[in-house]
Structures are given as C-alpha cells and as structure tokens.
Amino acid sequence: MTSKWTYSFGGGDADGSAQMRNLLGGKGANLHEMSRIGLTVPPGFTITTEVCTHFTETEGDYPDGLNDQVGTAIAKLETIMGAPFGGGQTESKILLLSVRSGARASMPGMMDTVLNLGLNDEAVEILAAETGDERFAYDSYRRFIQMFGDVVLGVDHYHFEDLLEDYKLDHSLKLDTDLTADDWKTLIPDFIEVIENQTGQPFPQDPRQQLWASIGAVFKSWTNKRAETYRRLHGIPASWGTAVNVQAMVFGNMGEDSATGVCFTRNPSTGDNHFYGEYLINAQGEDVVAGIRTPQPLSLAEKENGNLSMPSLEEVMPSLYTELDGVRHTLEQHYKDMQDLEFTIQKGKLWILQTRNGKRTTKAALKIAVDMVDEGLIDRNEAIRRVEPGHLDQLLHPTLDPDAPRDVLSTGLPASPGAASGKLVFSAEDAENWASRGEDVVLARVETSPEDIGGMHVAKGILTTRGGMTSHAAVVARGMGTPCVSGAGDITVDVKAKTLSAMGKTLKEGDVITLDGSTGEVMDGTVATIEPELSGDFATLMEWVDGVRDMAVRANAETPEDAKVARGFGAQGIGLARTEHMFFDADRIIHMREMILAQDVDARRAALGKLLPYQRQDFVDLLSIMEGLPVTIRLLDPPLHEFLPEKKADVEKIAVALGVGVEDVERRAKELHEFNPMLGHRGCRLAITYPEIYEMQARAIFEAAADLAEAGKDVQPEVMIPLVADVEELFRLKDLVVKIADLVLSERGVDVTYSVGTMIELPRAALQAGEIAKEAEFFSFGTNDLTQTTYGLSRDDAGRFLQIYREKGVLEDDPFVTIDQDGVGELVKIGTERGRATRPGMKIGICGEHGGDPASVTFCHKVGLDYVSCSPYRVPIARLAAAQAALGVDAETNA
Amino acid sequence: MTSKWTYSFGGGDADGSAQMRNLLGGKGANLHEMSRIGLTVPPGFTITTEVCTHFTETEGDYPDGLNDQVGTAIAKLETIMGAPFGGGQTESKILLLSVRSGARASMPGMMDTVLNLGLNDEAVEILAAETGDERFAYDSYRRFIQMFGDVVLGVDHYHFEDLLEDYKLDHSLKLDTDLTADDWKTLIPDFIEVIENQTGQPFPQDPRQQLWASIGAVFKSWTNKRAETYRRLHGIPASWGTAVNVQAMVFGNMGEDSATGVCFTRNPSTGDNHFYGEYLINAQGEDVVAGIRTPQPLSLAEKENGNLSMPSLEEVMPSLYTELDGVRHTLEQHYKDMQDLEFTIQKGKLWILQTRNGKRTTKAALKIAVDMVDEGLIDRNEAIRRVEPGHLDQLLHPTLDPDAPRDVLSTGLPASPGAASGKLVFSAEDAENWASRGEDVVLARVETSPEDIGGMHVAKGILTTRGGMTSHAAVVARGMGTPCVSGAGDITVDVKAKTLSAMGKTLKEGDVITLDGSTGEVMDGTVATIEPELSGDFATLMEWVDGVRDMAVRANAETPEDAKVARGFGAQGIGLARTEHMFFDADRIIHMREMILAQDVDARRAALGKLLPYQRQDFVDLLSIMEGLPVTIRLLDPPLHEFLPEKKADVEKIAVALGVGVEDVERRAKELHEFNPMLGHRGCRLAITYPEIYEMQARAIFEAAADLAEAGKDVQPEVMIPLVADVEELFRLKDLVVKIADLVLSERGVDVTYSVGTMIELPRAALQAGEIAKEAEFFSFGTNDLTQTTYGLSRDDAGRFLQIYREKGVLEDDPFVTIDQDGVGELVKIGTERGRATRPGMKIGICGEHGGDPASVTFCHKVGLDYVSCSPYRVPIARLAAAQAALGVDAETNA
C-alpha cells in the first residue's frame, strides 16, 4: 500500500484541515481549512512534511508513489481551473502554479517561494493572449526566470539585476515600470543565457521539470544554514520538516473584470463592527500595498464616512461585494475572531487567497473582545485571551496624536511609556526651579542618579543618552509613570553648556522637545497628544480578568503618589517599598550624610535619630493608603556611597553644614568607593556592619503601625531584608527586627500582625532557600539583581552589547525585560521548591521589573508564586497576564 | 533494669574507651582510653551524654539510678586515692574533685569547669595540714568559691574582683601573689557573703551538694546562648548533649617530692626522635606555662644540648623519669603519633593528666611522618594523612628567621606567602627603574592594576593598603610566587609624596621594609630570612603522594618563568594561561590601545596584526616548556578599558604615539567606562562584538602549535572561551576557533590534537551546562568569578566587610579562599553532572584560586573533577591535598 503523500484542496473541498498542522504545515493546514468551509481558495495540493523527512534522510530521493500522486493532483487542478498546466498548444487559457514552503512553526523569510511556475517561451504567448496584456505576460516570465534562477538554481540575483541596470542605462530608463513588453522580450534571452552560463545547463522549458526542481529546492531550503540557525535559536527540531504547497496562480490584473483587495472583517483601528478594506481594479495584490495607485474603499459606507470620491467595490461589483460580505460572515463565524483577508477577482470570479487573525490596535482589541462576548461568538475567558497584556500599556499613558507631524531628532530605548512635551533642562535642580515656576520641563541627562530624584519627580519626561531599559532613569521613571527615553546614544548632552545636539541641530535650555516613551522617539518642538480612556471596554474586561486569575498583583511603590496610583490601578498591596528612596529629599539627605560621616556608633545613632520621624511618617502614609492590604517594606539596600555627593560644590556644602572638613567628606567618599558596587557593601551587609540602621528603620515601621493600629486601621507590614546570601545573616537581622517590633508593640499595647522575610536575589540565596526558609516568613524574588548575578550582567553597563547580541541573534529577549527561564527561572523554581519544602505554603512573590512583563508573569504562575509586584502603571498588564496564565495562555515576550 | 549512666576510669582500668565518643564525649573517651592502656590518670567517672539529654528534656531532672551510680563511683575514687571526698573529720588526707564538660565535638571555651570541688570551711584546714602550705589551701578555697559562684550560681565575677581590688588598695598590695594565707582568710567570708547576698541562699558547705550543683550547671551550660550560637555555626545538633567528667584533683605543689610538667614524645620543632619537655618542682601546671618560674629540662641530653644549668628530671627523680619515658613509648605505640602530654607528680606518684597529638612545625611533621614509616609504626598512606597540605606553604618560600628581631608597622592580609626585604618604591615605573639598577625593591601601592604588572614582576615584595586575599595584587603575586601583603588598612600610602605612614612613623622612597606574606606583617628595616629546603623528607613524601592521588594538578601560569617553576613543582600541565597578561608589556600595549581606539574593523584588524607575532611567540614558549602536557589557553577576558591609561600624562603619550587627539582617547575611555566592570563587556562578549580579537588569538595559538609540531614536539593546546552564559555564544566562537585551527593546520600540513572548551564561571553557565556541553569539549570551573556572582560579592570590594563578617562569626571561611560548598559548590556539582550527562567522561577541572586550597581540593575530588589548577607555588599543596582526598581525608579549611 502506498502512503498518502499529497493532500488536495479547492473546488469547495479539501483532504486536510486546520488540525493537520504537523503533516501539512501551518500555511497548508490553513488553505485546507478555508477550502473545507467552502471558501473559493485557488485550488492546490500540499506535499506532506513526511516527504521532506524522506527527502532529507535519503539526501534527495522521493518516496514511491509521490510522482503519481502529484500527477493526479495537478490533473484535478486543471479541471477546477479549466486550464492546462503550462498551457496546451490548442488552449487559450493557461494554468500557472506557485510553490511555497510551509513548516509546522512559522519561520518567516527562512525558506523559499517560486511564483508563475509553468511559463516558458510558448506559454508566455498564451498568457499574453489570455490577458490581452503582453507587457504583463513578459514581465511575469522574466520574474519567473529570475526567481527560479535564484531560488532553485542558486544563481545570485545580482547577475540579473546587473543586466537590467545596464539595459536601463543604455536606454535611458529609470524605473522597471518604464520598460515595455518589447524591452522585456529583448532582456529575457539574456536572463536565460545568464542561467545557462552560471549552471552549465539549459533553462528548463518543461513546466513539470520546473515544478519538480522547485519542489526539491524548497525541501533543500529546510536544511540551509539560515534555516538551521533559525531553528537552533527557536528550538525547532530539524525532524519536523517542511511541507510544500503547490497552488494555482490567480490574477487580479486580467482586465476590468478583475480586481484585488485586502480587508478586515471589523475596523482594526476602532474595533467597530463594519466591513473595512481597500481594493484596486485590474491590479495585483502588491499594487494595493505599494502605494503607486491609490486604493479604493470597499464599501459605500466607508466611502461616505471617509468622504472619498473613488467608487467602492459595493458600487462597482455589487454582487461580488455581496459574495465577499458573505465570506466575511462565514469567516468570523468559523474563526470567531476578526479576520484580515486577501482576495482576488479574476475575470469576475472571487478567490480568497488568505485569511488570518487581523492585527488591531489595543483599543480595537478590547472592543472586539467585549463585543464578541455580547454577540455570543466567544465567552469571557476567550475575550481575556484575545488582548495582549503588553499592549495595554498603550492605553495607560497619554499618547502622541498619530496624525500630528513630528520632527524626530533621535530614537533611543522606549524606557517608560507615554508621551510628554516640555522645556529642556539639564539638571535636577533646574528642573525643580523651572517646575516651581509652573513650567513643564523635560529633564535631559547623560544618565541619572539617586540625587536627581527631586528633579525627576517634577519633570514631565526624562531623557538620557546612556543606560538601558533598566537603568536608574528607566526604573524610576516607570515607577513614577513618567515617560522616559533612555540610551539615546545619537544625542549629545552637554550638561555644562546646557545644550543638546542631534542631527546637526543644537537645542538649548528652555527649548521645547517631545518624548515618546512608547517608541523611544525624541522630537523637536511640541507634538499633540491624546489622553487615555480607562472606562468602557477596558473596565469591563478588567472586571472579567479579576474573576479568573489566581495570582495577586501588587505594586512596587514608595511615595504616596505612586501608592495611590497603584491602588487606583487595582494593586492588591505593595510588593516592594524601597526605603532608600525616602532618604533623598533635601531635608533628609543631610542626616543620612551625617550618619555616613559619623566616626562611631553613637554619632551614627544620633544622626539616625533625626531620620526616624521622617521615616515613620513615610510608613504612616504608605500603610494608610494601603489599609487592609499587605505592604512589603525593604530595609536599606544601596551602598552608602550613593548618598554622598560627587560634585566639589556639593561636597563643600555638606562639609559646612555638618561642620567637618572637606577632606573628611572626600576621604570617606574615597573609603566607600567600590569597583563593583552591585557586588559590594550593600543590602543586609550594611546592617550586619551597622545594625543601628535597620534598628532605626524597624522602629519607624512599628511606631507607624502602632499609630495606625491605635486609630483602628488594619495595617499589614511585611519587613523584607535584602541581599541575603546565607541564613545566618537573616537569623541575626530578623532577630533584631522582631526584638524592636515586640518592644514597640508591647510599649504601645497594640497588636499588629507582621512578618519578616527576605528577598531572594542572589544565586546562592536561591540554592540555600531551604535553609533561609527556616527564618524567612516570606520570599520575594528580586529578579533584577538575580538576573545580574546569574548572567554576570550589569544592567547599567550591558545596554550596548546586549543590543549587539540581539542584533546578531545571539540573544532573543532582553533578560532584564523578560525573565530568562532557563537560568534565572531555574533558580526561581529551585528557590520556591526548597523554600516551601521547609515552610509549606510559604508566601512567595516576585518584585523585579519582570513582575510587569506578561511572559514573566506566565512563568511566575507556572512556578506557583502567590503574587507578582510591578511598577504602578503596569498593574493592569500584570492583572491581565495573570488571568491569561490561569487560562493556560503562553504569553509572548514583551521585549 | 536500670541503665548505666556513669562510666568509671582510673586504677589501671576503665569502663569506656576511645570508641565511645558519642556516649562519653571527646574528653571522657580519651581519659578512659588512657586509663585502659595502663596509664595512671587521676581516677574519675563520666556521666553520659544520655543523662544530658534526659536533663534537657525534663528541664532539670536526672534519670532513676543516677544518684546511686554517682555514689558508687565516688566511693571507688576514694579507694583509689586513699582519701575521702571533701575530707573526713579524722583523716589527714582529702580528695578534691574537678567537674568538666566534654561534648562529642570539641567546643572550646563554650562550656564550664569547676575545680577544687569539695573544699569548705573545715576541709581547707585538712588541705593546709596535708600540704603544709596554708597559703595554698586558702588560695585554693577562695578560687573554688569564686569559680563556683560564677559558674554554678551565676554571680558575676566582678563582684569578687571588686572585693579583692579594694582589699589590695587598702593594704597597699599589688599582685595576687602578694597576699598571704591570713589575707585570704580575711577575704573568704566576704566572698561567701557576696554569694549569699546575690543568691539569697547560703554557700553550700556540703561537698555532695557542691558536686550536684556543679553537674547541673554543666548540663545547663549545654543550652546556654553562647553554646547554642556555636552549635548553630558549626552544625552540631543540640540532641548530642554533653557528658560530665568528674575527676580526682592531683597537685604537683605538695612539696619537694611533687612536680608538674609538659612534654612531647618527639621534638616538635625539628621532628627529631628524642624526649622533649619541661617541668617544675613543687608547682602547678599553670606555673610551667605562666613564665614566672623558669622551667627545667626533662632529660639530661636536653640539658646538655641546651647548655642549661638547672637539673633535669632525669637527674632529680631518675626512677620517675624512667617511668615517664616508659609512658612516652606506650603512648607512641598506642596512638602511633607524636604526643603532647601533661603530667603531675604528687608526693612521688606520677599522674598522666592528658595526652593528645602534638602540634608541630611543618618540617617536624614531614620528618615524623617519614620516620614513623621507617620505624614501621605507620604506613605511607598514614604518613600522607599526617601532613597538613596548607602548611607546606611554609616550606616553599624563604621565611623570616623566627629569632630575628622585628619592628612591626602593621599587619595586613597574608596575600602571598614568603618573606622579602627591599627598598620602598611607590610606582611600577619606579620599581622597574630601581630594579634595573640592581636594587631590591618592595612596591607599595594603594592597590595594583594590570598596568603595574611590569613593576610587580621585578619587585621582591608587594604591599597594598586596599584589597583582599584575591585582589589583583594578591592573585598576581601568588601566581609569581612573590610575597605580598594586601589590605594593610592601617598604613597610609601617599603615592604623590612617595611616603608610607604607620604607627606614627613615615617612611620615604628608598627606605627598607620587610614583608612577611605568610603572616601579613609589615616591618621597618631588614629582617633576616631562611631559604627553603625541598629535598629529603619533603621529596620522599611527595613521591608517595603522587602514587596515591587520582586527580591531576596543573598550574595557572602564562609567563615562561611561572611555567618553569610550575613544572619544577610537579605541575601536570597548565590549567589557565591568561592571554591578556601578555598584552601589558610596553612594546605590546601600544598596539592593544591602537586596536581599542580603532574606528572600524579594518583598523582593529591592522592593530591586531601587529600583536600576532608577540602572541605567537608567547604560545611557542608556553607550549615548549609544557611539552607533552596539556596547556589550557584562555582567550582575552578583561574589559577593554583595563588596557587604557588613567593618568593624563599617559593619555597624552598615547595620543601622540597613535597620532590621535587626546580627546579621542578620553572619549573612548569614557565610552568604555563601566559601573560594574566585573559584570560588563568582557570575556566572550568581547569576541561576539569584535570577533577579530579571538581570530588573531586563535591564529597565534595554531601557528605556534604548527611551528612546534613541525619540529617534532608534542603540543596539546586547549582553547578556552571565558564567561560563557549561553551555548549560543560558545557555538559561534568555537566555530570561529575551529575554522582558523583547521585553516592553519591544513595550510601547514601538520596534525595537532586540540580541543575547545569553556570556563564555567557564571551561575547560568553551571545551570545550562547540559546545553553548553553540546559544544564544549572540556569545562574549567572559574570559581573566582563563580563565587563573585553566586554570592553577589566583588573580591575587589568585599575585603572590608568580609573581615567584619568573620569577626562577628557570620561567616566562617573567606569564600574566595575556601570554596563555598553549599552555594558555589552546588553549582560546580550541577555543572559537572549536567555536562557529563550530555558528554560522558568529559574532562572537567577547576582553575580558580580554590585549586590550591586543600579543603577545596577535597571538594573537587568528591565532585569527580579530573584536575585542579592553581598558582605554581601551590602545586605541591594541591598534590598533597589531592592524595589526602583520595585517602578520604576531610581537609580543614585553609582560611
């Protein structure tokens, strides 16, 4: 018994279906499916992936029976199309074929295609006669020769292009379209000669010989270098193989009764439920998108809405329009999603070339999803699956009016979404001064540091010329919801001269610029913006989302403003309040510096005592805003040198303020300097050496909690010790916190439930999680730092070469944006398993930047985390991603 | 049936033995063992650890039958000693007891001891009469009251000290020894009153009440805070409990027929096989070590050798000396090791108080081990077990003459062993200048950088005031075998003024200082040194060692000098040749800088082309010296900015030499600056961005290999790609290396066996080892970097707080010295298992600093590594440690 190697489709029927992806490939299965549901797709047949496997294993042989099956399939095509393949001597019609690859997984651009197959010196005449367009026929023929030469015979395309260029020069022609049928007729023998010279073989005139050569070329392309690299990077096994789709060519340019078009079953910009599309009479598909001719509207309504003058398809070919509108309904009923389809009308007959789920704006995605639930087409869970969580970002910030003109100076990294215009300032101090005068400012820096926090808070937008997606500027800006473009390397910022140069232009302080933090664009002047709308479909969907997800979503926030925004966006508590951010205010940092410059523990305690009231008030604010919800407070984390000034003038100011010598300040700064501060004296290491720092912070937390508890408020502080590498560190510092908590709470006579836990942000901590869980009451994975140490990659420095890695394809995603599941992820898994083995049911979350990345949220769900915590503006994204994860959706990466 | 709770010993017999450690504790088991082999130990009994467990569980109860068993045991003691416990009313002799804790594992100083137990207001008179020394009797009594008060009743000892100080002030007395019997008689009632005031209870006069109170106190001390902390840090389970040893007191100060002494069965300094010791007539043990009276020599030979005038024990008490000499032989025959024993002669009777393996110099350890094999006492494997590998270090470098006077300025970290004296210089340039004039110099720097290599090479010693045991200075110095003291924080080095200040002194350029890299001492002036001797016992033992070990030992070396030293020390190849060290020579670095400053790939290639001949010659040298052995060559690793100068003057020089602007050099340096260079653009990341660098290095390696292969030499290059995080990096770079290797070797027509592998030095690489092994033909764990990233700890910065961690007991060992088995070690295990799962039998080694640390070598053996690689001067240590590991010895840490 011979196996079935070819599957036919077309003529209102199909051997295969959408379910047969593994055997027929993605493209093939889709063509069969369309044909199966009665759409008039150009008929064809699929040669299965099994044939590819046989071909690869035997290095070029085909299985028995294939030859006959292909012959039968072609005969069927000839019947459906009413024309012989390659044309017959007595026929006035001709069947041409396309040959395309189509693997199980999409491998865009990786493999080859041959069009117009079947043309030869005789067939081209038939085509000319049939279409009445000699130029079209000969142009098609030379395109076929060129494509066949390149793809099938391996003749580099520059050979043909050189010939063409010479010809144009000799005849003073500029564009390909300037060539006439006669010009092509002259060139074609030269093209054929090139092939013969390069291959030493005649160009095959026999259509069947052309077909088999093309099929073989597609199968061979499965094992070419480019495809192998792609498979290696995407984890696609070579054993899958590719299918080959052979399909009848149809032409929309066979006269005034022919046409071609592209359409969407609903409006892809707004989501409105009306037919939307464009077409051209007597044209090929590529003409619609090429922009040489202006396409016409599909429907009368569209024409009227757009106030257009060109006639719609509805008017020109009313019955075909009705047929197409029927196809629209068939498709939506079958695929239950908005479709993007291509059609061709060849001599009054409608052919559907392709259908796929249509790309749409986020606004449209929301509307379509909610509408389709109302229409009964899909259920709520399906609606939740339909919206890309990462795309919600577009809705949560003001955006640039897409129609407004823009004068782009440079494109940096889209570090924090949203758009902002403002006057240029070059220092945090200037930002505060200008803002206090009521000016909108954009702060431009080479990079930002914690000292710039004040200025960053008041700026409408932040621009840096260095640093990546997780640089200080980027992280802080995202936390604040302030638009930010980072690492705009083409821009030169001269902070002293207060100028910004790019593209040969120099802007000075006070000049207006506009940032688009969603695209990374930096523009000269003001560009109009549009405000976000969070009600309607958005609110409906988010309500459904919360009913589905089982992971909580918290926010990373420490200012009252951020905490309020977060709660407004639906955050279920704070997962990371960075207490050090509270020390940078002008009236506080002086005490912090006094503490750092102190000579002994008593002097340090005295300075800390001055910080206590501020810190206590911080916690009163945070715990009040988050009443009834948990607030995870991370004790001091950064190395102390981050709090000392760098500029001579500032050093002098501090020396005067604290009554010490400038040289004392400089000496201490020098003592504290580190080569690799990320791996230095920070986190819990500070408190092992200076326990009094955490003592003050613990006191501030529990005094604040006691104040609120006395006022009858439900407060839930969770104290988090950072950068633990060994349980011994946590043992000592937990003991310190618990002692102070018990002291304060018993002094005050109030009862506050609290817990003490740790960040797992070092590989060692993840490995030692079983031991650490003996002390830790909760874990929070600090995946920013964990990524840095697991990968040996500094997020402040890696921007430049990570970009090269991604350009060269060494790395697919930025591991600071989407969690590296193979490395960092394994440590998260290990840490979770070992932690819960020691302390069953332990509460575990994640508070790195990854908490707001959909793919990472999916991963967290799979690992079994209790919550994710992310910057306030990403809370809705995380909520949706968590719901999708609960529904089993594998989110795409957000990078 | 009642269980046995007490085990008696003494009188030439014992209930227990050395094997009963778990039940009797370490000290108890040892006392039983001595008694069992016929030594006259003061008799006593051990209350088992099971009683402790019962006591702890019941919070203070004793098991049934214990009371009777203790009574019986005491009766036995009284019989042996011929005196009643606490004295009888009619007796002229008195038995006093000691009560000591003794757990299964040694917990030095963690638990309590009570001596002279049994004294009371009456018994003190009997003791006075028996010894004829009233002062001794009353002093003993007040000591007992004080100790009992403190240890058993919890009365802080300052209460007693205050009383004593007041008394001495009132009576114009200075030392305790100035007090007479009458003085003590006056003070004793005050001491007793203190106890009664503090405890509200009378001081117990009943000896049995004293005894039970003391036993209870020892058991209670098992659960005190101090002991709990110690157990937590050392992983000792609380369930083990402690035993209590009750033993008869013996006194060496009961007259001229009494004596006390300490002796070694062989000479602990030289290892010579003669009896060696000191004693005092009519004295207590503490008098021998206290240094108030000068102890006398034990034997006549010793007296004559030392030209001493005081009579020896051999002369004074010849028969007792003969008895003691018999004990010496009994002990060596029984314990088969050199013993350190304490004895007391009470009224003409010899008592052996304690014996233990004697501490000895490394020289003595070697001699004793080799001698004992010759004597048939132990076998070769046991001899190998007897020498501490880490201690060999003392023998491999010149050492300071221990008798020479030294004027210590400061003590830093013992970063690279050996001693050196030389004239102070403060820059690498000065070091080279002075050395070229034939001067011995010591280079003093705040810290060193790769630019200092030239000066470090010529210096006799290196001193830094910053950086830890694995700082640049330390690592490079150990590699060179140059003595180095790092992180001498008390010293201030002023490089500009060319001065060094410490202890109020200021030394200037040209002043002589001496470093002891084995202790970290920095001394003013010259201190005489002794040269090492590597033949004799050392050579004999090392030969045995190589017959036993199954792990190979290689060296980390890149200069011909280091490679030669390494081979001389028995290295079986090079495990890590750092190619970047080859770029710092003055005539090479200019091309390196040219490469870094190049604007495009062609200019980079041109500069690299100039480096090629140098690099090729480097490999010719290395591969020749290591002929027949593998040489692992690591391609360029450090970030490029390390090669650019920092000083303005140097920047200007380069700009002139390369014909570029100063601002170009500065701009490039700024571009390359990194916040955390350890996590930056280095290792294979350089080659992914600039493949031409590794291309040049690969060409240099294989051209060198081809040259030597043509000359008939057996060369075994192993090319190592550093800092791989993902197999994709290795895939591409291995491909690059293999292509060039194949090209060069086929051009030259020679056959060279080579392999391409990678360092596993990032947590991600260890986790992904299964994938990486698809490409890597060998792994070498770079445990320096792996420790940095696993722990999140920069070795350049961690020095200061790691010291505090160790002082506070948070951390036991420096993880840069002894591998952190729980964290880094697990990654090494994971990496090895996963690597070999993909590539069975894969060659795997370690090339971090840990390769020369005995405990780490043991760990590597357990994990199944094929080799360790360490700095040349540690090769013998690693050989011995590897042999011990093969013999199942658990090496102590070297930190």
Side-chain angles (χ1 to χ4, degrees), chain A residues 232 671 675-676 678-679 685 688 728-729 732 764 791-792 794 797 800 805 808 820 826 834, chain B residues 232 671 675-676 678-679 685 688 728-729 764 791-792 794 797 800 805 808 820 826 834:
Chain A
R232 185 160 43 75
E671 272 173 20
F675 295 102
N676 294 288
M678 192 54 65
L679 308 175
R685 296 164 190 173
I688 292 288
E728 184 65 22
E729 296 169 320
R732 292 177 187 221
R764 192 176 197 278
Y791 246 108
S794 154
D797 301 313
R800 253 165 315 164
Y805 263 57
K808 294 197 175 185
D820 157 41
E826 181 171 2
R834 294 185 182 178
Chain B
R232 185 160 44 75
E671 271 173 20
F675 295 102
N676 294 287
M678 193 54 66
L679 309 176
R685 297 164 190 172
I688 292 287
E728 183 65 21
E729 296 168 319
R764 192 177 197 278
Y791 246 108
S794 154
D797 302 313
R800 255 165 314 166
Y805 263 58
K808 294 198 175 185
D820 156 42
E826 181 171 1
R834 294 185 182 177

Side-chain angles (χ1 to χ4, degrees), chain A residues 515-589:
Chain A
L515 306 180
D516 186 343
S518 310
T519 64
E521 283 179 332
V522 182
M523 288 144 282
D524 192 4
T526 306
V527 181
T529 57
I530 302 171
E531 279 302 307
E533 215 182 296
L534 299 182
S535 53
D537 299 322
F538 175 82
T540 305
L541 190 83
M542 292 311 287
E543 201 189 303
W544 297 345
V545 153
D546 289 344
V548 163
R549 69 192 163 90
D550 47 17
M551 252 193 323
V553 174
R554 301 194 193 180
N556 301 343
E558 46 273 338
T559 64
E561 300 74 42
D562 284 352
K564 278 179 207 151
V565 168
R567 195 153 191 170
F569 275 136
Q572 296 159 286
I574 287 179
L576 175 64
R578 307 171 187 87
T579 53
E580 60 271 15
H581 283 195
M582 302 167 173
F583 292 134
F584 283 102
D585 277 3
D587 47 350
R588 303 176 175 197
I589 195 157

